[in-house]
Amino acid sequence: MAQDVPPFDQGDSTQDAPTAAAPRARTAAGPSAPVMIVEDHPLFADALAVTLETRLGLAEVRRAGTLAAALAAIEQGFAPGTVLLDLNLPDVTGLDGLARIRDAAPEAAVVVVSSFVDARLASAALRLGADGVLGKDSARDAIAGALRAVWAGERVAPEGVTLDGGPGDDPGGPAAADAARRLASLTPQQTRILELVCLGMLNKQIAFELDIAETTVKAHISAILRKLGVQSRTQAVLAAQKVRFDGASGPGERA
């Protein structure tokens, strides 16, 4: 369970409002389209929903506490125009969650909302297809203004973060984004198996944990290595860590 994070600033100050850059069309995005909040912290999700409803007049705001719940809703026909996504959820950590949402809802605007935002994380998220990056401590007006900018076709990020995804901001650069895209191609079962590999489990232990045959585990691992473009389990673990920035959650969030 994530550590409690205080709701964003209740004031109306626009200090630290995001900067904007070149247009980026998302055909489904706009104030009349449904919004999905993917966030496992109830207090913050409630506060964010109230802001969207009162400041922007949005009528349909849906919440999901896990990435799996969000993806299931989309698969069942819910078509969000905008997704507000926490990167650290009970079932996913790091940019692989962004990659999966981006793949599931390609026409939606996706805005990362995180309690820990630095230049490297913001730049990598923008490279991977995020339309904006906001801190959870942003003021209400800053959040509303950021969404209006995104709906106008702009990209937004915290002050001081360049929006071109330049290498100076993101040591991982395109390699980290490519690794996240590859991770997003894994099936849910393959993702779970990779998580257990990252914990150091052997095939026999993974088979016991998931109640499947060891030969099935071996087949999945072979598929995982192929999809990630790596040759060994160690390289697969390193690829997963690249996406997570060795636990890119930062202070105040779970590792």
Side-chain angles (χ1 to χ4, degrees):
M1 181 66 184
Q3 179 177 335
D4 281 357
V5 180
F8 49 78
D9 186 351
Q10 299 297 307
D12 296 331
S13 170
T14 55
Q15 184 177 2
D16 296 327
T19 54
R24 234 177 123 78
R26 297 291 185 197
T27 58
S32 62
V35 171
M36 175 177 281
I37 299 171
V38 189
E39 164 65 55
D40 69 319
H41 192 282
L43 288 179
F44 181 76
D46 288 346
L48 185 53
V50 168
T51 291
L52 299 180
E53 292 163 357
T54 60
R55 299 299 172 98
L56 298 170
L58 300 181
E60 186 173 5
V61 179
R62 185 175 297 196
R63 306 173 205 179
T66 64
L67 182 70
L71 295 177
I74 294 171
E75 185 177 348
Q76 292 165 10
F78 180 68
T82 305
V83 178
L84 300 176
L85 175 69
D86 185 8
L87 291 182
N88 289 278
L89 296 164
D91 55 345
V92 68
T93 301
L95 293 176
D96 40 342
L98 170 60
R100 292 178 187 279
I101 284 288
R102 180 79 283 152
D103 183 63
E107 302 303 324
V110 180
V111 178
V112 169
V113 184
S114 177
S115 60
F116 177 73
V117 177
D118 65 3
R120 182 172 70 165
L121 176 62
S123 181
L126 293 168
R127 284 182 184 275
L128 195 57
D131 298 280
V133 180
L134 295 172
K136 285 187 176 180
D137 58 351
S138 300
R140 287 184 172 186
D141 280 353
I143 291 177
L147 288 180
R148 291 190 186 101
V150 167
W151 293 337
E154 299 174 338
R155 301 165 77 200
V156 297
E159 184 178 358
V161 175
T162 60
L163 293 157
D164 58 1
D169 285 339
D170 178 20
D178 179 65
R181 292 188 186 96
R182 289 178 179 272
L183 281 173
S185 72
L186 301 181
T187 67
Q189 182 77 313
Q190 290 167 354
T191 299
R192 178 60 178 149
I193 288 173
L194 179 57
E195 290 172 351
L196 296 177
V197 169
C198 290
L199 292 176
M201 285 191 179
L202 302 175
N203 289 355
K204 182 179 298 185
Q205 295 170 312
I206 294 172
F208 178 80
E209 176 73 18
L210 300 181
D211 194 23
I212 57 178
E214 188 173 350
T215 54
T216 302
V217 174
K218 292 179 180 179
H220 276 307
I221 290 179
S222 294
I224 290 168
L225 298 183
R226 183 175 65 255
K227 288 182 177 182
L228 297 184
V230 298
Q231 302 299 318
S232 69
R233 295 164 71 104
T234 299
Q235 290 175 346
V237 171
L238 291 175
Q241 290 177 341
K242 181 188 294 291
V243 171
R244 294 174 173 84
F245 295 123
D246 294 321
S249 50
E253 292 188 268
R254 60 180 168 274

